């Protein structure tokens, strides 16, 4: 009889240890899931990295710039986007200014980039980055303008 009570206690202790381990694993798994913030654009925060997806299609010199993503980590801010030429003419290489704006439309950082020549009906991807500042985590939109040569 004494042996059965000991076995029962051992099983209870093992069950408690297993439950605690499962709870720890579940909590650690939830910690790495992205946090979505409501708004017209999607913002994802994973650890120290912020990513903003801008859904609005921007127009620049006949080109359509879409799928714009702004990523900020502790060291860098980068902007990537798809560029499409809907015209019937080749659009030559363009120097651009990438102006990152906060929710009020104020400039929080700007840097330069280049859009290589794009054939009619063709797609291209652009990417540019610079050193991040604390304000860059407030990125809400991007403005693309012509760079003076």
């Amino acid at each position: 009889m004494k042996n059965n009570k000991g076995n029962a206690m051992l099983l209870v202790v093992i069950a408690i240890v297993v439950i605690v381990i499962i709870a720890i694993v579940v909590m650690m798994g939830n910690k790495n899931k992205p946090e979505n913030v409501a708004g017209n654009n999607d913002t994802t925060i994973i650890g120290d990295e912020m990513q903003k997806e801008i859904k609005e299609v921007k127009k620049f010199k006949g080109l359509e710039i879409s799928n714009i993503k702004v990523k900020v980590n502790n060291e860098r801010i980068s902007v990537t986007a798809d560029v499409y030429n809907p015209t019937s003419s080749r659009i030559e290489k363009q120097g651009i200014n990438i102006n990152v704006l906060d929710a009020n439309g104020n400039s929080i950082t700007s840097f330069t980039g280049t859009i290589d020549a794009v054939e009619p009906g063709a797609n291209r991807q652009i990417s540019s980055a610079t050193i991040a500042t604390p304000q860059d985590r407030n990125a809400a939109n991007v403005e693309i303008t012509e760079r003076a040569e």
Side-chain angles (χ1 to χ4, degrees):
M1 198 66 146
K2 214 177 201 184
N3 201 11
N4 284 345
K5 281 188 178 181
N7 286 341
M9 281 297 268
L10 182 61
L11 287 174
V12 169
V13 169
I14 290 173
I16 290 172
V17 169
V18 168
I19 291 170
V20 169
I21 290 172
I22 290 171
I24 290 171
V25 169
V26 167
M27 288 187 331
M28 289 178 69
N30 287 340
K31 187 189 250 186
N32 294 327
K33 288 189 179 173
E35 169 191 335
N36 288 322
V37 180
N40 288 339
N41 300 315
D42 292 333
T43 301
T44 304
I45 299 173
I46 303 172
D48 289 335
E49 183 175 293
M50 182 277 294
Q51 177 173 310
K52 167 80 67 182
E53 184 175 343
I54 298 167
K55 296 182 177 175
E56 175 187 350
V57 175
K58 309 286 184 180
K59 304 271 187 188
F60 176 76
K61 294 202 162 203
L63 297 170
E64 293 179 359
I65 302 172
S66 62
N67 196 26
I68 302 168
K69 290 189 174 78
V70 179
K71 291 183 184 178
V72 181
N73 62 30
N74 286 338
E75 299 172 9
R76 299 186 64 72
I77 178 170
S78 64
V79 174
T80 59
D82 295 330
V83 178
Y84 172 67
N85 181 356
T87 72
S88 59
S89 303
R90 174 184 165 104
I91 296 180
E92 297 300 325
K93 181 177 177 179
Q94 304 284 323
I96 58 172
N97 292 315
I98 301 168
N99 196 12
V100 180
L101 310 172
D102 66 13
N104 296 321
N106 300 315
S107 176
I108 53 178
T109 194
S110 62
F111 46 100
T112 61
T114 302
I115 300 174
D116 289 330
V118 187
E119 297 296 330
N123 289 300
R124 192 169 279 298
Q125 195 168 57
I126 60 172
S127 179
S128 191
T130 192
I131 297 171
T133 66
Q135 297 88 344
D136 293 338
R137 291 181 67 81
N138 297 324
N141 207 345
V142 172
E143 177 181 61
I144 309 283
T145 59
E146 184 176 9
R147 182 176 71 209
E149 297 293 329

